[in-house]
């Protein structure tokens, strides 16, 4: 494990019904924030899952990637999946992130707690 000199932290965002989708979509807004410097780049890849069979099966609903260059923060806003009906489903989201700092790549992973939402497929 290496010390991250720019103190970059990847934060999860709770999966929720999205206002921007007229409450008919679910998503999350995970973000990375660096408090001690500006990295060369930040990348995040998020996967949105529906959790089935009491947590024994995870169905991938969406995978999205974002990145930026020369910024101290990156907020991912493209994690959004359209509900097909109002049935309850359990969602969870996982994000893998990297920052490039002084020629070295640093990795992190976070995931949300499970959320039961009125959003079926």
């Amino acid at each position: 494990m290496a010390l991250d000199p720019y103190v970059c932290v990847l934060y999860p965002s709770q999966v929720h019904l999205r206002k921007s989708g007229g409450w008919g979509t679910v998503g999350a807004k995970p973000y990375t924030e660096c408090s001690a410097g500006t990295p060369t780049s930040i990348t995040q890849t998020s996967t949105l899952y529906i959790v089935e069979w009491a947590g024994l099966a995870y169905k991938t609903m969406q995978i999205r990637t974002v990145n930026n260059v020369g910024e101290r923060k990156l907020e991912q806003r493209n994690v959004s999946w359209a509900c097909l009906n109002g049935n309850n489903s359990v969602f969870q989201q996982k994000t893998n992130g990297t920052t490039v700092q002084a020629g070295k790549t640093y990795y992190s992973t976070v995931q949300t707690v499970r959320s039961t939402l009125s959003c079926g497929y």
Side-chain angles (χ1 to χ4, degrees):
M1 177 181 242
L3 178 63
D4 171 358
Y6 297 156
V7 192
C8 297
V9 179
L10 173 59
Y11 296 93
S13 169
Q14 187 66 30
V15 179
H16 58 277
L17 290 169
R18 292 178 55 122
K19 181 179 179 182
S20 63
W23 309 111
T25 61
V26 295
K29 294 180 185 174
Y31 66 97
T32 299
E33 191 165 26
C34 303
S35 61
T38 302
T40 303
S41 65
I42 302 172
T43 302
Q44 291 178 187
T45 299
S46 292
T47 305
L48 181 66
Y49 299 98
I50 284 186
V51 183
E52 298 177 317
W53 293 93
L56 298 175
Y58 287 76
K59 179 179 174 82
T60 301
M61 304 311 286
Q62 182 184 79
I63 300 172
R64 293 283 188 254
T65 299
V66 295
N67 57 43
N68 66 15
V69 175
E71 301 285 333
R72 292 181 92 155
K73 183 175 180 178
L74 173 65
E75 181 179 41
Q76 189 167 3
R77 296 180 180 189
N78 65 347
V79 180
S80 178
W81 181 77
C83 308
L84 300 181
N85 58 53
N87 295 340
N88 282 345
S89 299
V90 179
F91 292 89
Q92 191 167 26
Q93 177 255 321
K94 179 179 178 182
T95 301
N96 295 312
T98 62
T99 58
V100 177
Q101 306 168 26
K104 292 184 180 181
T105 302
Y106 296 85
Y107 301 88
S108 56
T109 300
V110 295
Q111 66 183 24
T112 64
V113 297
R114 295 176 185 164
S115 299
T116 302
L117 302 169
S118 298
C119 179
Y121 70 104

